[in-house]
Amino acid sequence: MQAVIQAGGRGTRLSSVTKNVIPKPMVEIAGKPLLAWQMEELRANGFTDIILIVGYLGHVIQDDFGDGGRLGVRIRYIEERADEPLGTAGALAYLPPFLTGDTFAFVYADAFFSVDFERMMAFHREKGSAATLFVHPNSHSFDSDLVVLDEAGRVTAFDSKTNDRSSYDYENIVNAGVFLFSRSICDNVPIPRKCALEKDVLQSMLDHGAPVYGYRSTEYVKDAGTPERLAAVERDLTIGIPQKRNLKHPQKAIFLDRDGTLNRYVGLLTQPDELVLEDTVLEAVRAINASEYLAICCTNQPVVARGLCTIEDVNAIHRRLQTLLGRGGAYLDDIIYCPHHPDKGYPGENPAYKIDCNCRKPKTGMIDTMAERHHIDLAPSWMIGDTTRDIQTAKNAGMRSVLVRTGEAGNDRAFAVKAECEAETLMEGVQWILRRNE
């Protein structure tokens, strides 16, 4: 299989590291150039034919890697003029003579990744996609280009980081810089010209109805394009987080209740502006994000069945939750909720959701769905919540649990169960789990 690495940029954000004597893909992480890490990961996924697009100081890359023989790959080069860079997509015009198949991977040279490309390829083929973007939440969504997806995962819009987002909430879905493309994408750049992949090429494909999809994954793809982010990647690498987050391996998760755990308990929450984060939530979720655990919100929302909210209302509340977390440098890997309630007789109730489902906690339907979606091993995973219903859910799913003394603080007494730990705050509970894991 073939992969293309866009390595032609000047890397101005990393100039304090590169000193303008090496190109940004040659910055070292744990004693090895970032570009070498990328090519070794690609080779491990079966990509042995690699095309490098080089420009500024490109000879440094060519002198170091040559034909790729010492890495067990074949490398060929497309050279942009250093004084006339073509942006992130202009060199697509040069690709067709190099391509041997219908699909190729395309990655930005400042992305450190550990990804099961077989899963991503299966998604790409199942959707009949012309372009598939690896998308995920990240800790700096406020300065990232966001991707808007429909329920099937099809890209409907791009939300540029230059937009003023102060007046609206958003889903934390970020384009990570790893792609699968059909060779037909090159038709959008018939001659070499300076253009941007997202703004020009992919947006044009959306405008013309081409199938462009977002592949959502919790795997490790991090921007290493600033000194701070480069240092964070190196820290993660030294403790094995990139490899542990690869979906070739079972994952561990911390499932988080919403009302009373992540946000302050106000009874039946029906409006986004009613959502206020609990104390210590930002630091607690950031601690999970920096660990090998996934952070997944799992919540009962009977407000839909009661007729107090629509599904879109709940989604709007969750966009508010993601926005508040994102502003504080934290993110949830996923959110799942149950809109059902089995008891009938409420004024204005929605009969379509008045059912005895298998997803309402303490049943395990939501947990099981997340375990299948994210390849989660439940035995080493945890549930944190403020009610005995949450603790019973954990026991039913074969997980361990922490009861936080926020929200209802276990005073619901719905189930005669005891958690492995009781904590005053979410941060205290997360720290307790992480210490045990160490």
Side-chain angles (χ1 to χ4, degrees):
M1 293 192 293
Q2 290 183 295
V4 179
I5 302 177
Q6 174 52 271
R10 291 185 66 91
T12 53
R13 296 183 302 165
L14 275 173
S15 59
S16 63
V17 178
T18 64
K19 307 298 184 184
N20 297 320
V21 296
I22 61 170
K24 67 177 179 180
M26 296 301 289
V27 296
E28 290 198 351
I29 299 177
K32 190 186 324 183
L34 171 57
L35 193 55
W37 287 106
Q38 289 187 322
M39 288 193 282
E40 288 177 1
E41 180 68 16
L42 288 168
R43 183 193 63 203
N45 279 274
F47 295 95
T48 56
D49 187 352
I50 296 177
I51 301 157
L52 285 179
I53 300 170
V54 298
Y56 176 71
L57 295 177
H59 66 277
V60 177
I61 294 173
Q62 295 188 57
D63 291 346
D64 191 287
F65 293 106
D67 64 3
R70 66 182 174 84
L71 290 177
V73 298
R74 176 196 186 196
I75 298 177
R76 289 174 290 167
Y77 298 89
I78 292 174
E79 297 183 57
E80 297 180 356
R81 288 178 52 181
D83 62 344
E84 195 175 337
L86 298 177
T88 51
L92 289 175
Y94 292 122
L95 279 181
F98 290 81
L99 300 176
T100 58
D102 182 62
T103 302
F104 62 96
F106 186 92
V107 301
Y108 291 152
D110 54 6
F112 189 101
F113 54 89
S114 180
V115 172
D116 182 356
F117 277 93
E118 186 175 347
R119 283 175 176 256
M120 187 175 177
M121 187 70 76
F123 175 91
H124 178 79
R125 289 171 174 160
E126 176 193 343
K127 298 296 185 181
S129 181
T132 297
L133 294 65
F134 186 108
V135 298
H136 63 173
N138 74 12
S139 61
H140 50 98
S141 54
F142 52 86
D143 72 347
S144 298
D145 292 326
L146 301 179
V147 182
V148 182
L149 305 178
D150 66 15
E151 290 185 359
R154 189 160 182 162
V155 177
T156 61
F158 295 104
D159 183 354
S160 171
K161 61 186 175 184
T162 61
N163 293 339
D164 179 5
R165 297 180 184 144
S166 61
S167 62
Y168 62 93
D169 297 323
Y170 50 84
E171 281 194 81
N172 186 342
I173 303 176
V174 175
N175 176 15
V178 174
F179 310 84
L180 290 175
F181 289 152
S182 165
R183 66 182 298 149
S184 63
I185 195 172
C186 302
D187 298 338
N188 293 272
V189 191
I191 60 172
R193 60 184 175 86
K194 185 173 184 178
C195 60
L197 181 58
E198 292 88 347
K199 181 180 178 181
D200 298 321
V201 175
L202 294 176
Q203 185 61 58
S204 175
M205 293 174 70
L206 293 187
D207 294 342
H208 289 87
V212 179
Y213 281 84
Y215 171 71
R216 298 184 65 163
S217 176
T218 60
E219 291 171 293
Y220 193 95
V221 182
K222 291 289 179 71
D223 172 12
T226 70
E228 297 76 19
R229 293 170 189 171
L230 186 69
V233 168
E234 186 158 33
R235 181 203 72 89
D236 291 345
L237 186 62
T238 59
I239 56 179
I241 289 177
Q243 299 89 335
K244 290 175 182 176
R245 284 292 189 101
N246 192 303
L247 286 177
K248 293 176 183 176
H249 310 297
Q251 304 296 294
K252 297 192 290 189
I254 297 178
F255 291 90
L256 302 161
D257 177 51
R258 197 189 81 182
D259 302 323
T261 303
L262 288 171
N263 55 274
R264 293 177 186 171
Y265 180 71
V266 295
L268 296 174
L269 191 155
T270 60
Q271 300 293 328
D273 59 7
E274 296 174 341
L275 191 143
V276 178
L277 296 180
E278 276 282 0
D279 294 339
T280 81
V281 162
L282 287 174
E283 57 186 310
V285 177
R286 285 197 300 262
I288 300 173
N289 298 155
S291 75
E292 62 188 271
Y293 287 92
L294 307 182
I296 298 177
C297 176
C298 178
T299 175
N300 288 346
Q301 290 302 315
V303 287
V304 177
R306 294 275 295 269
L308 303 174
C309 275
T310 64
I311 292 294
E312 175 50 35
D313 292 332
V314 177
N315 291 337
I317 291 168
H318 287 154
R319 287 194 292 272
R320 181 63 176 165
L321 174 60
Q322 292 175 78
T323 300
L324 293 178
L325 288 170
R327 289 174 183 170
Y331 62 89
L332 296 168
D333 289 287
D334 211 337
I335 301 174
I336 188 168
Y337 64 92
C338 168
H340 308 113
H341 195 282
D343 300 336
K344 298 179 174 64
Y346 293 92
E349 67 186 16
N350 187 333
Y353 295 95
K354 282 292 181 177
I355 62 173
D356 186 11
C357 63
N358 70 347
C359 52
R360 179 174 167 80
K361 294 184 292 187
K363 294 180 181 178
T364 63
M366 289 190 288
I367 303 292
D368 296 337
T369 295
M370 291 292 99
E372 181 177 359
R373 181 181 300 173
H374 300 299
H375 194 195
I376 297 171
D377 182 356
L378 295 178
S381 297
W382 294 79
M383 178 85 196
I384 303 180
D386 66 311
T387 69
T388 60
R389 183 179 297 275
D390 298 313
I391 308 310
Q392 185 63 53
T393 303
K395 291 188 178 298
N396 291 347
M399 299 187 296
R400 292 167 290 178
S401 60
V402 173
L403 177 72
V404 286
R405 296 206 165 278
T406 52
E408 297 189 66
N411 292 323
D412 61 301
R413 297 188 175 88
F415 298 91
V417 289
K418 186 173 178 60
E420 277 74 12
C421 169
E422 294 188 10
E424 293 300 316
T425 65
L426 182 60
M427 184 59 184
E428 183 181 310
V430 168
Q431 287 176 324
W432 189 84
I433 292 172
L434 297 182
R435 283 196 300 269
R436 286 178 61 94
N437 187 56
E438 291 172 358

Coordinates of all heavy atoms in Angstrom, one line a residue, residues 54-116:
V54 N 8.6 17.2 -0.3 CA 9.5 18.0 0.5 C 9.7 19.3 -0.2 O 9.4 19.5 -1.4 CB 10.9 17.3 0.6 CG1 10.8 16.0 1.3 CG2 11.5 17.0 -0.8
G55 N 10.2 20.3 0.6 CA 10.4 21.6 0.1 C 11.5 22.3 0.8 O 12.7 22.1 0.6
Y56 N 11.1 23.1 1.8 CA 12.1 23.9 2.6 C 13.1 22.9 3.3 O 12.7 22.0 4.0 CB 11.4 24.7 3.6 CG 12.3 25.4 4.6 CD1 13.0 26.5 4.2 CD2 12.4 25.0 5.9 CE1 13.9 27.2 5.1 CE2 13.2 25.7 6.8 CZ 13.9 26.8 6.4 OH 14.7 27.5 7.3
L57 N 14.4 23.0 3.0 CA 15.4 22.2 3.5 C 15.2 20.7 3.2 O 15.6 19.8 4.0 CB 15.6 22.4 5.0 CG 16.1 23.8 5.5 CD1 16.2 23.9 7.0 CD2 17.5 24.1 4.9
G58 N 14.5 20.4 2.1 CA 14.2 19.1 1.7 C 15.4 18.2 1.6 O 15.3 16.9 1.7
H59 N 16.5 18.8 1.2 CA 17.7 17.9 1.0 C 18.2 17.3 2.3 O 18.8 16.2 2.2 CB 18.9 18.8 0.4 CG 19.4 19.9 1.4 ND1 18.7 21.1 1.6 CD2 20.4 19.9 2.3 CE1 19.4 21.8 2.5 NE2 20.4 21.1 3.0
V60 N 17.9 17.9 3.4 CA 18.2 17.3 4.7 C 17.5 15.9 4.9 O 18.0 14.9 5.3 CB 17.9 18.2 5.9 CG1 18.2 17.5 7.2 CG2 18.7 19.5 5.8
I61 N 16.2 15.9 4.5 CA 15.4 14.7 4.6 C 15.9 13.7 3.6 O 16.1 12.5 3.9 CB 13.9 15.0 4.3 CG1 13.3 15.9 5.4 CG2 13.1 13.8 4.1 CD1 11.9 16.4 5.1
Q62 N 16.2 14.1 2.4 CA 16.7 13.1 1.3 C 18.0 12.6 1.7 O 18.3 11.4 1.5 CB 16.7 13.8 0.0 CG 15.4 14.3 -0.5 CD 15.4 14.8 -1.9 OE1 15.8 14.1 -2.9 NE2 15.0 16.0 -2.1
D63 N 18.9 13.4 2.2 CA 20.2 12.9 2.6 C 20.1 11.9 3.7 O 20.9 10.9 3.8 CB 21.1 14.1 3.1 CG 21.5 15.0 1.9 OD1 21.3 14.6 0.8 OD2 22.0 16.1 2.2
D64 N 19.2 12.1 4.7 CA 19.1 11.2 5.8 C 18.4 9.9 5.5 O 18.9 8.8 5.8 CB 18.3 11.9 6.9 CG 18.4 11.1 8.3 OD1 17.7 10.1 8.4 OD2 19.1 11.6 9.2
F65 N 17.3 9.9 4.7 CA 16.5 8.7 4.5 C 16.8 8.0 3.1 O 16.5 6.8 3.0 CB 15.0 9.0 4.6 CG 14.6 9.4 6.0 CD1 14.3 10.7 6.3 CD2 14.5 8.4 7.0 CE1 13.9 11.1 7.6 CE2 14.1 8.8 8.3 CZ 13.8 10.1 8.6
G66 N 17.3 8.8 2.2 CA 17.6 8.1 0.9 C 16.5 7.4 0.3 O 15.3 8.0 0.2
D67 N 16.7 6.2 -0.2 CA 15.6 5.5 -0.8 C 14.7 4.7 0.1 O 13.8 4.0 -0.3 CB 16.2 4.5 -1.9 CG 17.1 3.4 -1.3 OD1 17.2 3.3 0.0 OD2 17.6 2.6 -2.1
G68 N 15.0 4.8 1.5 CA 14.2 4.2 2.5 C 14.6 2.8 2.8 O 13.9 2.1 3.7
G69 N 15.6 2.2 2.2 CA 16.0 0.8 2.4 C 16.3 0.5 3.8 O 15.9 -0.6 4.3
R70 N 16.9 1.4 4.6 CA 17.2 1.0 6.0 C 16.0 1.0 6.9 O 16.0 0.4 8.0 CB 18.3 2.0 6.6 CG 17.8 3.4 6.7 CD 18.9 4.3 7.3 NE 18.6 5.7 7.3 CZ 18.0 6.3 8.3 NH1 17.6 5.6 9.4 NH2 17.7 7.6 8.3
L71 N 14.9 1.6 6.4 CA 13.6 1.5 7.2 C 12.7 0.4 6.6 O 11.6 0.2 7.2 CB 12.9 2.9 7.1 CG 13.5 4.0 7.9 CD1 12.7 5.3 7.6 CD2 13.6 3.8 9.3
G72 N 13.1 -0.3 5.6 CA 12.3 -1.3 5.1 C 11.2 -0.8 4.2 O 10.2 -1.5 4.0
V73 N 11.3 0.4 3.6 CA 10.3 0.9 2.8 C 11.0 1.5 1.5 O 12.2 1.6 1.4 CB 9.5 2.1 3.5 CG1 8.8 1.6 4.7 CG2 10.5 3.3 3.8
R74 N 10.2 1.8 0.5 CA 10.6 2.4 -0.7 C 10.2 3.9 -0.6 O 9.0 4.2 -0.5 CB 10.0 1.8 -1.9 CG 10.4 2.5 -3.3 CD 9.4 2.0 -4.3 NE 9.8 2.5 -5.7 CZ 9.0 2.5 -6.7 NH1 7.7 2.0 -6.6 NH2 9.4 2.9 -7.9
I75 N 11.1 4.8 -0.7 CA 10.8 6.2 -0.7 C 11.1 6.9 -2.0 O 12.1 6.7 -2.6 CB 11.6 7.0 0.4 CG1 11.3 6.4 1.8 CG2 11.3 8.5 0.4 CD1 12.2 7.1 2.9
R76 N 10.1 7.7 -2.5 CA 10.3 8.5 -3.7 C 9.9 9.9 -3.3 O 9.1 10.1 -2.3 CB 9.4 8.0 -4.8 CG 10.0 6.7 -5.4 CD 9.0 6.2 -6.5 NE 7.8 5.7 -5.9 CZ 6.7 5.4 -6.7 NH1 6.7 5.6 -8.0 NH2 5.6 5.0 -6.1
Y77 N 10.5 10.9 -3.9 CA 10.3 12.3 -3.5 C 9.7 13.2 -4.6 O 9.9 13.0 -5.8 CB 11.7 12.9 -3.2 CG 12.4 12.2 -2.0 CD1 13.3 11.1 -2.3 CD2 12.3 12.6 -0.7 CE1 13.9 10.5 -1.3 CE2 12.9 12.0 0.3 CZ 13.7 10.9 0.0 OH 14.4 10.3 1.1
I78 N 8.8 14.0 -4.1 CA 8.3 15.1 -4.9 C 8.8 16.4 -4.3 O 8.6 16.7 -3.1 CB 6.7 15.2 -4.9 CG1 6.2 13.9 -5.6 CG2 6.2 16.5 -5.5 CD1 4.7 13.8 -5.6
E79 N 9.5 17.2 -5.1 CA 10.2 18.4 -4.6 C 9.5 19.7 -5.0 O 9.3 19.9 -6.2 CB 11.6 18.5 -5.1 CG 12.5 17.3 -4.6 CD 14.0 17.5 -5.1 OE1 14.6 18.5 -4.8 OE2 14.4 16.5 -5.8
E80 N 9.0 20.4 -4.0 CA 8.5 21.7 -4.2 C 9.6 22.7 -4.2 O 10.6 22.5 -3.5 CB 7.4 22.1 -3.1 CG 6.2 21.3 -3.1 CD 5.3 21.7 -2.0 OE1 5.6 22.7 -1.2 OE2 4.2 21.1 -1.9
R81 N 9.5 23.9 -4.8 CA 10.4 24.9 -4.7 C 10.3 25.6 -3.3 O 9.2 25.9 -2.9 CB 10.2 26.0 -5.8 CG 10.6 25.5 -7.2 CD 10.3 26.6 -8.2 NE 10.9 27.9 -7.9 CZ 10.8 28.9 -8.6 NH1 10.0 28.9 -9.8 NH2 11.3 30.1 -8.3
A82 N 11.5 25.7 -2.7 CA 11.5 26.2 -1.3 C 10.9 27.7 -1.3 O 10.3 28.1 -0.3 CB 12.9 26.2 -0.7
D83 N 11.1 28.4 -2.4 CA 10.7 29.8 -2.4 C 9.3 29.9 -3.0 O 8.7 31.0 -3.1 CB 11.6 30.7 -3.3 CG 11.7 30.2 -4.7 OD1 11.3 29.0 -5.0 OD2 12.2 30.9 -5.6
E84 N 8.6 28.8 -3.3 CA 7.3 28.8 -3.9 C 6.5 27.6 -3.3 O 6.1 26.7 -4.1 CB 7.3 28.8 -5.4 CG 6.0 29.1 -6.1 CD 6.2 29.2 -7.6 OE1 7.3 29.4 -8.1 OE2 5.1 29.1 -8.3
P85 N 6.2 27.5 -2.0 CA 5.5 26.4 -1.4 C 4.1 26.3 -2.0 O 3.5 27.4 -2.3 CB 5.5 26.7 0.1 CG 5.7 28.2 0.2 CD 6.6 28.6 -1.0
L86 N 3.6 25.1 -2.1 CA 2.3 24.9 -2.7 C 1.2 24.7 -1.6 O 0.1 24.2 -2.0 CB 2.4 23.7 -3.6 CG 3.3 23.9 -4.8 CD1 3.4 22.6 -5.6 CD2 2.9 25.0 -5.7
G87 N 1.5 24.9 -0.4 CA 0.4 24.7 0.7 C 0.3 23.2 1.0 O 1.1 22.4 0.6
T88 N -0.8 22.9 1.6 CA -1.0 21.5 2.1 C -1.5 20.6 1.0 O -1.5 19.4 1.1 CB -2.0 21.5 3.2 OG1 -3.2 22.2 2.9 CG2 -1.4 22.1 4.5
A89 N -2.0 21.2 -0.2 CA -2.6 20.3 -1.2 C -2.1 20.6 -2.6 O -2.4 19.8 -3.5 CB -4.1 20.5 -1.2
G90 N -1.3 21.6 -2.9 CA -0.9 21.9 -4.2 C -0.2 20.8 -4.9 O -0.3 20.6 -6.1
A91 N 0.6 20.1 -4.1 CA 1.4 19.0 -4.7 C 0.6 17.8 -5.1 O 1.2 16.8 -5.8 CB 2.5 18.6 -3.8
L92 N -0.7 17.7 -4.8 CA -1.5 16.6 -5.3 C -1.5 16.5 -6.8 O -1.6 15.4 -7.3 CB -3.0 16.8 -4.8 CG -3.3 16.7 -3.3 CD1 -4.7 17.0 -3.0 CD2 -3.0 15.3 -2.9
A93 N -1.2 17.6 -7.5 CA -1.2 17.6 -9.0 C 0.0 16.7 -9.5 O -0.1 16.2 -10.6 CB -1.0 19.0 -9.5
Y94 N 1.0 16.5 -8.6 CA 2.2 15.7 -9.1 C 2.0 14.2 -8.8 O 2.8 13.4 -9.3 CB 3.4 16.2 -8.3 CG 3.9 17.6 -8.7 CD1 4.0 18.5 -7.7 CD2 4.3 17.9 -10.0 CE1 4.5 19.8 -8.0 CE2 4.7 19.2 -10.3 CZ 4.9 20.1 -9.3 OH 5.3 21.4 -9.6
L95 N 1.0 13.9 -8.0 CA 0.9 12.5 -7.5 C 0.5 11.4 -8.6 O 1.0 10.3 -8.5 CB -0.1 12.4 -6.4 CG 0.4 12.8 -5.0 CD1 -0.7 12.7 -4.0 CD2 1.6 12.0 -4.6
P96 N -0.4 11.7 -9.5 CA -0.9 10.5 -10.3 C 0.1 9.6 -10.9 O -0.1 8.4 -10.9 CB -1.8 11.3 -11.4 CG -2.3 12.5 -10.7 CD -1.2 12.9 -9.8
P97 N 1.2 10.1 -11.5 CA 2.2 9.1 -12.0 C 2.9 8.2 -10.9 O 3.4 7.2 -11.3 CB 3.3 10.1 -12.6 CG 2.6 11.4 -12.9 CD 1.6 11.5 -11.7
F98 N 2.8 8.6 -9.7 CA 3.4 7.8 -8.6 C 2.4 6.8 -8.1 O 2.9 5.8 -7.4 CB 3.8 8.8 -7.4 CG 4.9 9.7 -7.7 CD1 4.8 10.9 -8.4 CD2 6.2 9.3 -7.3 CE1 5.8 11.7 -8.7 CE2 7.3 10.2 -7.5 CZ 7.1 11.4 -8.2
L99 N 1.1 7.0 -8.3 CA 0.1 6.1 -7.6 C -0.1 4.8 -8.4 O -0.2 4.8 -9.6 CB -1.2 6.9 -7.5 CG -1.1 8.2 -6.7 CD1 -2.5 8.9 -6.7 CD2 -0.7 7.9 -5.2
T100 N -0.2 3.7 -7.6 CA -0.3 2.4 -8.3 C -1.7 1.8 -8.0 O -2.1 0.8 -8.6 CB 0.8 1.5 -7.8 OG1 0.7 1.4 -6.3 CG2 2.1 2.0 -8.2
G101 N -2.4 2.3 -7.0 CA -3.7 1.8 -6.6 C -4.8 2.9 -6.5 O -4.5 4.0 -6.8
D102 N -6.0 2.5 -6.1 CA -7.1 3.5 -6.0 C -7.0 4.3 -4.7 O -7.6 5.4 -4.7 CB -8.4 2.7 -6.2 CG -9.6 3.7 -6.2 OD1 -9.6 4.6 -7.1 OD2 -10.4 3.7 -5.2
T103 N -6.4 3.7 -3.7 CA -6.5 4.4 -2.3 C -5.1 4.5 -1.8 O -4.3 3.6 -1.9 CB -7.4 3.6 -1.4 OG1 -8.7 3.4 -1.9 CG2 -7.5 4.3 0.0
F104 N -4.9 5.7 -1.2 CA -3.6 5.9 -0.5 C -3.8 6.7 0.8 O -4.8 7.4 0.9 CB -2.6 6.7 -1.4 CG -3.0 8.0 -1.8 CD1 -2.6 9.2 -1.2 CD2 -3.9 8.2 -2.9 CE1 -2.9 10.4 -1.5 CE2 -4.2 9.5 -3.3 CZ -3.8 10.6 -2.6
A105 N -2.9 6.5 1.7 CA -2.9 7.3 3.0 C -2.2 8.6 2.7 O -1.2 8.7 1.9 CB -2.2 6.5 4.1
F106 N -2.6 9.7 3.4 CA -2.0 11.0 3.3 C -1.9 11.5 4.7 O -2.8 11.6 5.5 CB -2.9 11.9 2.5 CG -2.3 13.2 2.1 CD1 -1.5 13.4 1.0 CD2 -2.5 14.3 3.0 CE1 -1.0 14.7 0.7 CE2 -1.9 15.6 2.7 CZ -1.2 15.7 1.5
V107 N -0.7 11.9 5.1 CA -0.5 12.4 6.5 C 0.4 13.7 6.5 O 1.2 13.9 5.7 CB 0.2 11.3 7.4 CG1 -0.6 10.1 7.5 CG2 1.6 11.0 7.0
Y108 N 0.1 14.5 7.5 CA 0.9 15.7 7.7 C 2.1 15.4 8.5 O 2.1 14.5 9.4 CB 0.1 16.8 8.5 CG -1.0 17.4 7.7 CD1 -2.2 17.9 8.3 CD2 -1.0 17.5 6.3 CE1 -3.2 18.5 7.6 CE2 -2.0 18.1 5.6 CZ -3.1 18.6 6.2 OH -4.1 19.2 5.5
A109 N 3.2 16.0 8.2 CA 4.5 15.6 8.8 C 4.7 16.0 10.2 O 5.7 15.7 10.8 CB 5.7 16.2 7.9
D110 N 3.7 16.8 10.8 CA 3.9 17.2 12.2 C 2.9 16.4 13.1 O 2.7 16.8 14.2 CB 3.6 18.7 12.4 CG 2.3 19.2 11.8 OD1 1.5 18.3 11.3 OD2 2.1 20.4 11.7
A111 N 2.4 15.3 12.6 CA 1.5 14.5 13.3 C 2.2 13.2 13.8 O 2.8 12.5 13.0 CB 0.2 14.1 12.5
F112 N 2.2 13.0 15.1 CA 2.7 11.8 15.7 C 1.5 10.8 15.9 O 0.5 11.2 16.6 CB 3.4 12.0 17.0 CG 4.1 10.8 17.5 CD1 5.5 10.7 17.4 CD2 3.4 9.7 18.1 CE1 6.2 9.5 17.8 CE2 4.1 8.6 18.6 CZ 5.5 8.5 18.4
F113 N 1.5 9.6 15.4 CA 0.3 8.8 15.4 C 0.7 7.3 15.6 O 1.7 6.8 15.3 CB -0.5 8.9 14.1 CG 0.3 8.7 12.8 CD1 0.4 7.4 12.3 CD2 0.9 9.7 12.2 CE1 1.1 7.1 11.2 CE2 1.6 9.5 11.0 CZ 1.7 8.2 10.5
S114 N -0.3 6.6 16.3 CA -0.3 5.2 16.4 C -1.7 4.7 16.1 O -2.6 4.9 17.0 CB 0.2 4.7 17.8 OG 0.2 3.3 17.9
V115 N -1.9 4.2 14.9 CA -3.3 4.0 14.4 C -3.4 2.6 13.8 O -2.5 2.1 13.1 CB -3.7 5.1 13.3 CG1 -5.0 4.7 12.6 CG2 -3.7 6.4 14.0
D116 N -4.5 2.0 14.0 CA -4.9 0.7 13.3 C -5.5 1.1 12.0 O -6.7 1.3 11.9 CB -5.8 -0.1 14.2 CG -6.1 -1.5 13.5 OD1 -5.7 -1.7 12.4 OD2 -6.9 -2.3 14.1

